[in-house]
Amino acid sequence: QQPVQSPQAVILREGEDAVINCSSSKALYSVHWYRQKHGEAPVFLMILLKGGEQKGHEKISASFNEKKQQSSLYLTASQLSYSGTYFCGTEEAKAAGNKLTFGGGTRVLVKP
Amino acid sequence: DGGITQSPKYLFRKEGQNVTLSCEQNLNHDAMYWYRQDPGQGLRLIYYSQIVNDFQKGDIAEGYSVSREKKESFPLTVTSAQKNPTAFYLCASSMRWQGGYTFGSGTRLTVV
């Protein structure tokens, strides 16, 4: 069962902040975040392991709440280059060997 | 430069024909994956392989076949049994037990 992402879409003005959520009904070992520009391949942003750590990539950061099986991606002071579709990918068990199940994606549009 | 190459970028085939999509990586990654992406949707796992000569079915393996004879190569065959093969196909690779995915640029398959 794929993780659920919310919201499905968000429109921002340059400099504004946004939060994208990813929820799973299953216990997770890790959560990955990727960004895909239109017609291109997804690009890896960051990975979070269970333990609630927070990571960052430029002004994009994320957290992982393993008790709730939820991860959130924070877009801070958004730039035009942040536009694209963001996907979370969840790894349910270490034994599965880094196999990811992806959410449906969140479309982000940053306007000048 | 290391990377993952998919070819061709666009592919047109007549209904009922088998077609093979190429995926080659020079990242020395153990694991390789095939995902299918339909317009406006997330990525669904078709097949994955963690080591040479071994592969497992993903969530939507019916109508597809793969082989992993070399570490660098993981071709996907879309057979005539696949009822709705028109889609964007993405190949990815990663270390076997950890790390983010590196995606290829994708193959857009259209069956007419």
Side-chain angles (χ1 to χ4, degrees):
Chain A
Q1 191 173 2
Q2 67 176 164
V4 178
Q5 288 186 234
S6 63
Q8 288 188 317
V10 59
I11 299 175
L12 301 166
R13 290 288 179 188
E14 204 171 0
E16 291 181 340
D17 302 339
V19 180
I20 300 170
N21 298 304
C22 174
S23 296
S24 175
S25 59
K26 301 187 177 183
L28 300 178
Y29 177 79
S30 72
V31 179
H32 295 213
W33 284 97
Y34 295 79
R35 177 173 62 207
Q36 184 179 31
K37 302 276 187 178
H38 183 68
E40 299 179 6
V43 174
F44 172 70
L45 294 175
M46 66 193 78
I47 180 173
L48 299 104
L49 303 177
K50 65 179 182 179
E53 64 178 290
Q54 194 157 346
K55 284 198 170 182
H57 174 83
E58 299 172 344
K59 290 187 177 179
I60 299 174
S61 61
S63 62
F64 177 26
N65 186 326
E66 64 178 291
K67 289 184 179 179
K68 293 185 177 181
Q69 307 308 326
Q70 290 178 351
S71 179
S72 295
L73 187 73
Y74 307 94
L75 307 182
T76 304
S78 59
Q79 306 170 15
L80 296 177
S81 62
Y82 287 2
S83 292
T85 301
Y86 289 78
F87 293 98
C88 67
T90 55
E91 181 185 8
E92 294 175 15
K94 195 55 199 161
N98 209 25
K99 177 172 74 78
L100 297 180
T101 302
F102 285 90
T106 296
R107 293 184 182 181
V108 173
L109 176 61
V110 181
K111 293 185 173 181
Chain B
D1 288 338
I4 183 165
T5 302
Q6 288 187 245
S7 62
K9 192 174 179 68
Y10 299 95
L11 191 55
F12 295 87
R13 279 293 182 270
K14 290 185 178 179
E15 194 172 336
Q17 290 182 333
N18 292 356
V19 60
T20 298
L21 281 57
S22 171
C23 179
E24 303 274 337
Q25 56 99 359
N26 60 2
L27 298 165
N28 199 33
H29 283 167
D30 299 303
M32 297 187 74
Y33 316 84
W34 275 104
Y35 285 87
R36 169 182 172 140
Q37 186 174 35
D38 293 286
Q41 297 190 30
L43 288 73
R44 291 183 291 167
L45 182 63
I46 304 173
Y47 268 98
Y48 66 104
S49 168
Q50 296 176 325
I51 55 174
V52 175
N53 293 321
D54 186 50
F55 48 83
Q56 287 79 40
K57 293 181 179 180
D59 301 319
I60 56 166
E62 186 175 351
Y64 300 97
S65 66
V66 294
S67 63
R68 187 86 186 278
E69 297 177 359
K70 298 187 300 181
K71 186 175 183 178
E72 302 79 17
S73 179
F74 191 41
L76 173 74
T77 296
V78 184
T79 75
S80 57
Q82 169 49 233
K83 297 188 188 313
N84 186 18
T86 295
F88 187 48
Y89 290 88
L90 286 161
C91 179
S93 68
S94 77
M95 296 304 291
R96 184 177 179 185
W97 299 110
Q98 61 181 359
Y101 285 12
T102 299
F103 282 90
S105 56
T107 292
R108 195 167 298 278
L109 173 65
T110 302
V111 176
V112 296

Coordinates of all heavy atoms in Angstrom, one line a residue, chain A residues 32 34 36 39-42 44 47 87 91 94-104 107, chain B residues 33 35 37 40-43 45 48 50 88 90 94-101 103-105:
Chain A
H32 N 12.5 8.4 2.0 CA 13.3 9.2 1.0 C 12.4 10.3 0.5 O 11.2 10.1 0.4 CB 13.7 8.3 -0.2 CG 14.6 7.2 0.1 ND1 15.5 6.8 -0.8 CD2 14.8 6.4 1.2 CE1 16.2 5.8 -0.3 NE2 15.8 5.5 0.9
Y34 N 12.2 12.9 -3.1 CA 12.7 13.2 -4.4 C 11.9 14.4 -5.0 O 10.7 14.6 -4.6 CB 12.5 12.0 -5.3 CG 13.4 10.8 -4.9 CD1 13.0 10.0 -3.8 CD2 14.6 10.5 -5.5 CE1 13.7 8.9 -3.4 CE2 15.3 9.4 -5.1 CZ 14.9 8.6 -4.1 OH 15.7 7.6 -3.7
Q36 N 10.9 15.9 -8.9 CA 10.8 15.7 -10.3 C 10.3 16.9 -11.1 O 9.2 17.4 -10.8 CB 9.9 14.5 -10.6 CG 9.9 14.1 -12.1 CD 9.0 12.9 -12.3 OE1 8.0 12.6 -11.7 NE2 9.4 12.0 -13.3
G39 N 8.7 16.2 -17.1 CA 9.4 15.5 -18.2 C 10.8 15.0 -17.9 O 11.5 14.4 -18.8
E40 N 11.2 15.1 -16.7 CA 12.6 14.7 -16.3 C 12.5 13.5 -15.2 O 11.4 13.2 -14.8 CB 13.4 15.9 -15.7 CG 13.5 17.0 -16.7 CD 14.3 18.2 -16.1 OE1 14.8 18.0 -14.9 OE2 14.4 19.2 -16.8
A41 N 13.7 13.0 -14.9 CA 13.7 12.0 -13.9 C 13.7 12.6 -12.5 O 14.1 13.7 -12.3 CB 15.0 11.2 -14.1
P42 N 13.2 11.8 -11.5 CA 13.2 12.3 -10.2 C 14.7 12.4 -9.7 O 15.6 11.7 -10.1 CB 12.5 11.2 -9.4 CG 11.7 10.5 -10.4 CD 12.5 10.6 -11.7
F44 N 17.1 12.7 -6.2 CA 17.2 12.4 -4.8 C 17.5 13.7 -4.0 O 18.4 14.4 -4.3 CB 18.2 11.4 -4.5 CG 18.5 11.1 -3.1 CD1 17.6 10.5 -2.3 CD2 19.8 11.5 -2.5 CE1 17.9 10.2 -1.0 CE2 20.0 11.2 -1.2 CZ 19.1 10.6 -0.4
I47 N 17.4 11.4 2.7 CA 16.9 10.1 3.3 C 16.8 10.3 4.8 O 17.7 10.9 5.4 CB 17.7 8.9 2.9 CG1 17.1 7.6 3.5 CG2 19.2 9.1 3.3 CD1 17.9 6.4 3.0
F87 N 8.0 13.7 -4.3 CA 7.6 12.3 -4.0 C 8.3 11.9 -2.7 O 9.5 12.1 -2.6 CB 7.9 11.3 -5.1 CG 7.1 11.6 -6.4 CD1 7.7 12.2 -7.4 CD2 5.9 11.1 -6.5 CE1 7.0 12.4 -8.6 CE2 5.1 11.3 -7.7 CZ 5.7 11.9 -8.7
E91 N 10.5 2.9 2.9 CA 11.1 1.6 3.0 C 10.5 0.9 4.2 O 10.7 1.4 5.3 CB 12.6 1.7 3.1 CG 13.3 0.4 3.2 CD 14.8 0.5 3.3 OE1 15.3 1.7 3.6 OE2 15.5 -0.5 3.3
K94 N 14.2 -3.3 6.7 CA 15.5 -3.4 6.2 C 15.8 -4.6 5.4 O 16.6 -4.6 4.5 CB 16.5 -3.3 7.4 CG 17.9 -3.0 7.0 CD 17.9 -1.7 6.2 CE 19.2 -1.6 5.4 NZ 19.1 -0.6 4.3
A95 N 15.1 -5.7 5.7 CA 15.3 -6.9 5.0 C 14.9 -6.8 3.6 O 15.3 -7.6 2.7 CB 14.5 -8.0 5.7
A96 N 14.0 -5.8 3.3 CA 13.6 -5.7 1.9 C 14.7 -5.1 1.0 O 14.5 -5.1 -0.2 CB 12.3 -4.8 1.8
G97 N 15.7 -4.6 1.6 CA 16.9 -4.2 0.8 C 16.7 -3.0 0.0 O 16.9 -2.9 -1.2
N98 N 16.2 -1.9 0.7 CA 16.2 -0.6 0.0 C 15.1 -0.5 -1.1 O 15.2 0.3 -2.0 CB 17.5 -0.1 -0.5 CG 17.7 1.4 -0.5 OD1 17.1 2.1 0.2 ND2 18.6 1.8 -1.4
K99 N 14.1 -1.3 -1.0 CA 13.0 -1.3 -1.9 C 12.0 -0.2 -1.5 O 11.5 -0.2 -0.4 CB 12.3 -2.6 -2.0 CG 11.1 -2.6 -3.0 CD 10.6 -4.0 -3.1 CE 9.8 -4.6 -1.9 NZ 8.4 -4.0 -1.8
L100 N 11.7 0.8 -2.4 CA 10.8 1.9 -2.0 C 9.4 1.8 -2.6 O 9.3 1.3 -3.8 CB 11.4 3.2 -2.5 CG 12.8 3.6 -1.8 CD1 13.2 4.9 -2.4 CD2 12.7 3.6 -0.3
T101 N 8.4 2.2 -1.8 CA 7.1 2.5 -2.3 C 6.8 4.0 -2.3 O 7.0 4.6 -1.3 CB 6.1 1.8 -1.4 OG1 6.4 0.4 -1.4 CG2 4.7 1.9 -2.0
F102 N 6.4 4.5 -3.5 CA 6.3 6.0 -3.6 C 4.9 6.4 -3.4 O 3.9 5.7 -3.8 CB 6.8 6.4 -5.0 CG 8.3 6.4 -5.1 CD1 9.0 5.3 -5.6 CD2 9.1 7.5 -4.8 CE1 10.3 5.2 -5.7 CE2 10.5 7.5 -4.9 CZ 11.1 6.3 -5.4
G103 N 4.8 7.6 -2.9 CA 3.5 8.3 -2.7 C 3.1 8.9 -4.1 O 3.8 8.8 -5.1
G104 N 1.9 9.4 -4.1 CA 1.3 9.9 -5.4 C 1.9 11.3 -5.8 O 1.6 11.7 -6.9
R107 N 2.4 18.4 -6.2 CA 2.9 19.4 -7.2 C 3.1 20.7 -6.5 O 2.2 21.3 -5.8 CB 1.9 19.5 -8.3 CG 1.7 18.3 -9.1 CD 0.8 18.5 -10.3 NE 0.6 17.4 -11.1 CZ -0.2 17.3 -12.2 NH1 -0.8 18.4 -12.6 NH2 -0.3 16.2 -12.9
Chain B
Y33 N 16.2 -1.1 -10.3 CA 14.8 -1.1 -10.2 C 14.2 -0.6 -11.5 O 14.7 0.3 -12.2 CB 14.3 -0.1 -9.0 CG 15.1 -0.3 -7.8 CD1 16.3 0.4 -7.6 CD2 14.7 -1.0 -6.7 CE1 17.1 0.3 -6.5 CE2 15.4 -1.1 -5.5 CZ 16.6 -0.4 -5.4 OH 17.4 -0.5 -4.3
Y35 N 10.5 1.3 -12.6 CA 9.2 1.8 -12.1 C 8.4 2.3 -13.4 O 9.0 2.7 -14.4 CB 9.5 3.1 -11.2 CG 9.9 2.7 -9.8 CD1 11.2 2.5 -9.5 CD2 8.9 2.6 -8.8 CE1 11.6 2.2 -8.2 CE2 9.3 2.2 -7.5 CZ 10.7 2.0 -7.2 OH 11.0 1.7 -5.9
Q37 N 5.5 5.1 -14.5 CA 4.8 6.4 -14.1 C 3.8 6.7 -15.2 O 4.1 6.9 -16.3 CB 5.8 7.5 -13.9 CG 5.2 8.8 -13.4 CD 6.2 9.8 -13.0 OE1 7.2 10.0 -13.7 NE2 6.0 10.6 -12.0
G40 N 0.4 12.3 -14.2 CA -0.1 12.8 -13.0 C -0.1 11.9 -11.8 O -0.7 12.2 -10.8
Q41 N 0.6 10.8 -11.9 CA 0.6 9.8 -10.8 C 2.0 9.5 -10.3 O 3.0 10.0 -10.9 CB 0.0 8.5 -11.3 CG -1.5 8.6 -11.7 CD -2.1 7.3 -12.0 OE1 -1.8 6.3 -11.4 NE2 -3.1 7.2 -12.8
G42 N 2.1 8.7 -9.3 CA 3.3 8.4 -8.7 C 4.0 7.3 -9.4 O 3.6 6.9 -10.5
L43 N 5.1 6.7 -8.8 CA 5.9 5.7 -9.4 C 5.4 4.3 -8.8 O 5.4 4.2 -7.6 CB 7.4 5.9 -9.1 CG 8.0 7.0 -9.8 CD1 7.6 8.4 -9.3 CD2 9.6 6.9 -9.7
L45 N 6.3 0.2 -8.7 CA 7.4 -0.7 -8.9 C 7.1 -1.9 -9.7 O 6.1 -2.6 -9.4 CB 8.0 -1.2 -7.5 CG 9.2 -2.1 -7.5 CD1 10.4 -1.4 -8.1 CD2 9.5 -2.6 -6.1
Y48 N 12.6 -5.5 -9.3 CA 13.8 -5.0 -8.8 C 14.8 -6.2 -8.6 O 14.4 -7.3 -8.5 CB 13.6 -4.3 -7.5 CG 13.1 -5.1 -6.3 CD1 13.9 -5.5 -5.3 CD2 11.8 -5.5 -6.2 CE1 13.5 -6.2 -4.2 CE2 11.3 -6.2 -5.2 CZ 12.1 -6.6 -4.2 OH 11.7 -7.3 -3.1
Q50 N 18.6 -7.1 -6.6 CA 19.6 -6.7 -5.6 C 20.9 -7.2 -5.9 O 21.9 -6.6 -5.4 CB 19.1 -7.1 -4.2 CG 17.8 -6.5 -3.7 CD 17.3 -7.0 -2.4 OE1 17.5 -8.2 -2.1 NE2 16.7 -6.2 -1.6
F88 N 5.4 6.1 -19.0 CA 6.8 6.6 -18.8 C 7.5 5.6 -17.9 O 7.1 5.3 -16.8 CB 6.8 8.0 -18.2 CG 8.1 8.7 -18.2 CD1 9.0 8.7 -19.2 CD2 8.5 9.3 -17.0 CE1 10.2 9.4 -19.2 CE2 9.7 10.0 -16.9 CZ 10.6 10.0 -18.0
L90 N 10.8 4.4 -15.8 CA 12.0 4.9 -15.2 C 12.8 3.7 -14.6 O 12.3 2.9 -13.9 CB 11.7 5.8 -14.0 CG 11.2 7.2 -14.5 CD1 10.4 7.9 -13.4 CD2 12.4 8.0 -14.9
S94 N 20.8 1.8 -6.9 CA 21.2 2.2 -5.6 C 22.2 1.2 -5.0 O 22.3 0.1 -5.5 CB 20.0 2.4 -4.6 OG 19.5 1.2 -4.2
M95 N 22.8 1.6 -3.9 CA 23.5 0.6 -3.1 C 22.5 -0.4 -2.6 O 21.3 -0.1 -2.4 CB 24.3 1.2 -2.0 CG 25.4 2.1 -2.4 SD 26.6 1.4 -3.5 CE 27.4 0.2 -2.4
R96 N 22.9 -1.6 -2.3 CA 21.9 -2.7 -2.0 C 21.1 -2.4 -0.7 O 19.9 -2.6 -0.6 CB 22.6 -4.0 -1.9 CG 21.6 -5.2 -1.6 CD 22.3 -6.5 -1.6 NE 21.4 -7.6 -1.3 CZ 21.8 -8.9 -1.1 NH1 23.0 -9.2 -1.2 NH2 20.9 -9.8 -0.9
W97 N 21.8 -1.9 0.3 CA 21.1 -1.8 1.6 C 20.8 -0.4 2.0 O 20.1 -0.2 3.0 CB 22.0 -2.5 2.7 CG 22.2 -3.9 2.4 CD1 23.3 -4.5 2.1 CD2 21.2 -4.9 2.5 NE1 23.1 -5.9 1.9 CE2 21.8 -6.2 2.2 CE3 19.8 -5.0 2.8 CZ2 21.1 -7.4 2.2 CZ3 19.1 -6.2 2.8 CH2 19.8 -7.4 2.5
Q98 N 21.3 0.6 1.3 CA 21.1 2.0 1.8 C 21.3 3.0 0.7 O 21.8 2.6 -0.4 CB 22.0 2.3 2.9 CG 23.5 2.2 2.6 CD 24.4 2.5 3.7 OE1 23.9 2.8 4.8 NE2 25.7 2.5 3.5
G99 N 21.0 4.2 0.9 CA 21.3 5.3 0.0 C 20.2 5.6 -0.9 O 19.3 4.8 -1.2
G100 N 20.2 6.8 -1.5 CA 19.2 7.3 -2.4 C 19.3 6.6 -3.7 O 20.4 6.1 -4.1
Y101 N 18.2 6.7 -4.5 CA 18.2 6.2 -5.8 C 18.8 7.2 -6.8 O 18.5 8.4 -6.7 CB 16.8 5.9 -6.3 CG 16.1 4.7 -5.7 CD1 16.6 4.0 -4.6 CD2 14.9 4.3 -6.2 CE1 16.0 2.9 -4.1 CE2 14.2 3.2 -5.7 CZ 14.8 2.5 -4.6 OH 14.1 1.4 -4.1
F103 N 18.2 7.9 -10.7 CA 17.3 7.6 -11.8 C 17.9 7.9 -13.1 O 18.7 8.8 -13.3 CB 16.0 8.4 -11.7 CG 15.0 7.8 -10.6 CD1 15.1 8.3 -9.3 CD2 14.0 6.9 -10.9 CE1 14.2 7.8 -8.3 CE2 13.2 6.4 -10.0 CZ 13.3 6.9 -8.7
G104 N 17.5 7.0 -14.1 CA 17.8 7.4 -15.5 C 16.8 8.4 -16.0 O 15.9 8.8 -15.3
S105 N 17.0 8.9 -17.2 CA 16.2 9.9 -17.8 C 14.8 9.4 -18.3 O 14.0 10.2 -18.7 CB 16.9 10.7 -18.9 OG 17.3 9.8 -19.9

